[in-house]
Amino acid sequence: MDAFKTHKKVIDNYRSYLESFLSISDERIKTEVQKAFNDDGFITQPLIQFNPSYKRDQSLLDRVAEGKIHKELPKAFGDFNLYKHQIEAIKKGIQDEGFIVTSGTGSGKSLTFMATIFNHIFELGDKKTKGIKAILVYPMNALINSQEIEIQKYAENFGDGFPVSVATYSGQNSNADREKIQADPPDILLTNYMMLELIMTRQRESWLRDSLKDSLKYLIFDELHTYRGRQGSDVSMLIRRIKSICNKNLVCIGTSATMASDGSVEEKKTAVAKVASTIFGESYTVDQVINEYLEPCTSGKIPTKEELIKYLEEDLPGKNEMDFISRPLSMWMETHIALKHNGTTLERGLPLTITEISEKLVLFTGLSFGSCVE
């Protein structure tokens, strides 16, 4: 599929749809409105941001060999090298230390807290008692359903004897579902913050509150950046009410793709730690804020002006992935657009439009704008 042709088709159709509602008699106004429709001011260009490569680290089997996690944890999650930010977060989680993971979409943030929770339940073994041990809070039910499917995959990987029970409590449950949860509370409860508010206040959920007192250990909030302003205040008060009824010190964990975008790495971590401290009602340090670790997927070499011009003029076709990542244009895009250095740390670049990317390419090569766009 040609993404640019598809985008143009969608925009043209949308523009035609909007224009069908207009009937303007004044020619001057009509001209200005038509100009707005045709320019970027009305329907702006899409912003492009590249998916980076994340640094790999140990596998869970490596951690088992070091005696750091339960030996059966790899049965659920598999034997492959995890990303560095995942390993760093899991290390903190199994030491009963709260953390905040701020990494991109698709970077496996949920695995960090799921591995932490599973490890605790596996360690309990025969000593496991009834009661909810972890509450996972999501801003929308679609995310709850998605997480439930992922947990089911972990159970299938593990095979017979999977010791972790899971249930959703999102406001869409039938009476039979609620009665089942009441009779046999799951280890992990998936819910949304509005439903969690009702759990903590409604009389008919008093049984659920009672089940948290002695068993709850983990409180996880996904998409932490969504809880801001008044909603953030409501959630922070909700967390404090939950803490007040629990006999254990809760391990509070948050995940977010974005929470701070300006400043040095230390300054951004400090800002995230401050937000987490406010929401969770306990002190978070910069060491508890875990950022993504990026690496180039090309050689990381910056092509010379001459190399890039030669490639653009010849437009050599690639045969495979290795050809693609070794192209001068691919290397330039990664080093100038996709990634940037913040001190000694490699970070993802800011989203840009096609025009802005082309203008940067023009400045680097000295070619005409039309040549670069083509």
Side-chain angles (χ1 to χ4, degrees), residues 49-54 104 292 294-295 297 334 338-339 347-348:
Q49 187 172 50
F50 294 83
N51 252 353
S53 293
Y54 301 103
E292 58 193 15
L294 306 182
E295 62 183 8
C297 68
E334 183 167 60
L339 300 173
E347 295 182 341
R348 62 179 68 211

Side-chain angles (χ1 to χ4, degrees), residues 263-282:
S264 67
V265 173
E266 187 78 8
E267 288 170 340
K268 288 193 280 189
K269 282 192 170 188
T270 299
V272 174
K274 183 177 179 181
V275 171
S277 300
T278 301
I279 290 178
F280 289 122
E282 58 189 78

Side-chain angles (χ1 to χ4, degrees), residues 314-326:
E314 294 181 0
D315 192 23
L316 300 174
K319 298 178 182 178
N320 51 43
E321 181 183 348
M322 290 308 298
D323 281 347
F324 177 77
I325 65 176
S326 63

Side-chain angles (χ1 to χ4, degrees), residues 241-257:
R241 287 203 300 276
I242 295 171
K243 285 184 171 183
S244 70
I245 68 168
C246 292
N247 295 325
K248 294 180 179 179
N249 291 326
L250 298 186
V251 178
C252 296
I253 296 170
T255 68
S256 176

